[in-house]
Amino acid sequence: MVIIKEQPCCCYVKVNIPNGVYTLETSCGKNQGIMEPGYRCCYMNYKMIKVMITKNTIRFKCPITNVPTKDNVRVAIDVGINFHIGRGPETEEEDIKKFVYNFGPNRLEELLQEECDEGIRDFLKQIKVNRVRDIKTELTSALMNELKLKFAPYGVVIEQVNIMNVIIPRDLRICLTDTTNYDVFLQKQVKAQENKMLVINNNENKSVLRLKRDNMQ
């Protein structure tokens, strides 16, 4: 995600600034802004490429384990976060400086992990385990809004948050599956009984109509 270029003892004969990265330059220790892509000849040592940061989307995986639900069942959740550095051309230099000087990649990784962990635990402590797999959309939306607010001041743009997997203890998972299957079975039985009653009622109505016709004759 971030490349820090070492300073030469005298100068570089040639420096190539690639496309697809933000390249922050300093001269005699003073910030010179973002360099344009292309070749530089005889790049002197009083200048320095402070850092290179990719413009591409970065994918971060964040497994959260041992999360208690409302009924105190411990579950695990795998979260995936897509983000990039820099909000746009108008603010890219400001965003890159904020990220490099006030934040940095190591702190970003730590804070992403901490914020995901805290956000998911706060959300799931209000949800019972039998609903955990049904609230992925609500959890994703809540977590994404929190992360956007938290990281925007550092020039980090959260693009997408995905709940990739929800892991429930095996014995409880089997129990929930059996319960779901039993509920489906009951619903089918109720539906079948209702259909039988409709058939009986229809037959009775037909019999009544037939008797009325016979009496009228």
Side-chain angles (χ1 to χ4, degrees), residues 198-216:
L198 284 174
V199 171
I200 291 171
N201 290 334
N202 287 336
N203 290 336
E204 288 180 352
N205 290 335
K206 288 179 182 179
S207 298
V208 170
L209 289 173
R210 192 179 301 113
L211 286 172
K212 286 182 178 180
R213 283 198 302 269
D214 292 343
N215 290 333
M216 290 177 65

Side-chain angles (χ1 to χ4, degrees), residues 4-46:
I4 299 176
K5 192 73 174 174
E6 292 184 1
Q7 194 172 7
C9 59
C10 177
C11 72
Y12 289 113
V13 175
K14 181 174 64 176
V15 170
N16 180 27
I17 305 300
N19 285 302
V21 296
Y22 296 113
T23 305
L24 199 61
E25 181 186 40
T26 60
S27 178
C28 298
K30 294 182 179 180
N31 180 60
Q32 298 297 308
I34 294 176
M35 300 176 69
E36 293 294 328
Y39 282 104
R40 307 288 193 281
C41 294
C42 195
Y43 193 77
M44 302 304 294
N45 66 351
Y46 63 84

